[in-house]
């Protein structure tokens, strides 16, 4: 059973930075690198939205609202996904979730989310104050 564990959330002032991490466990040997990974966020009363995603070839896709401010990366040796968030704004306040799926591209994961065979983490809260 694959498990995704996020960390790195917190409270910052507008213009600040945070780096989120997502550690994956439970993958079969050498299978982690075959998965697409991504970050999503959700605020109360709104649907979960894709923030950034990266596929096994290293292709990254971003939501327009974070393009140029957020950077997604992965370290396969540590089975870890990162999201570097710079120039944070109050509208970035949300619960951030890590997701993984197979048989996808960065674009499909970002825009459609993980399928029935995909996985979600429990989330980490990011709060940006003005």
């Amino acid at each position: 059973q694959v498990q995704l564990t996020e960390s790195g959330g917190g409270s910052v002032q507008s213009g600040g930075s945070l780096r989120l991490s997502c550690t994956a466990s439970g993958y079969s040997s050498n299978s982690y690198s075959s998965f697409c990974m991504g970050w999503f966020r959700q605020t109360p009363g709104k649907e979960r939205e894709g923030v950034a995603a990266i596929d096994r070839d290293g292709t990254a896709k971003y939501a327009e609202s974070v393009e140029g401010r957020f950077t997604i990366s992965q370290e396969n040796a540590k089975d870890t996904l990162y999201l570097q968030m710079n120039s944070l704004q109050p509208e970035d306040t949300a619960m951030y979730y890590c997701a993984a799926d197979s048989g996808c591209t960065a674009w499909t994961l970002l825009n459609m989310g993980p399928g029935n065979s995909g996985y979600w983490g429990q989330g980490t809260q990011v709060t940006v104050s003005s």
Side-chain angles (χ1 to χ4, degrees), residues 11 14 88 126:
S11 298
S14 180
L88 283 162
V126 172

Side-chain angles (χ1 to χ4, degrees), residues 18-85:
L18 283 173
R19 188 176 81 156
L20 306 183
S21 298
C22 171
T23 301
S25 62
Y27 285 91
S28 60
S29 179
N30 297 321
S31 66
Y32 172 78
S33 59
S34 68
F35 276 67
C36 299
M37 303 288 294
W39 291 96
F40 294 74
R41 65 186 182 188
Q42 188 172 26
T43 54
K46 296 182 69 176
E47 289 190 1
R48 198 172 296 188
E49 65 173 355
V51 175
I54 189 167
D55 65 26
R56 59 187 178 275
D57 296 325
T59 299
K61 298 293 184 184
Y62 297 91
E64 188 174 332
S65 60
V66 306
E67 185 86 50
R69 299 188 298 123
F70 291 11
T71 302
I72 188 171
S73 62
Q74 58 188 1
E75 190 171 359
N76 289 342
K78 295 185 178 180
D79 292 351
T80 302
L81 180 75
Y82 302 102
L83 184 68
Q84 178 66 44
M85 305 185 294

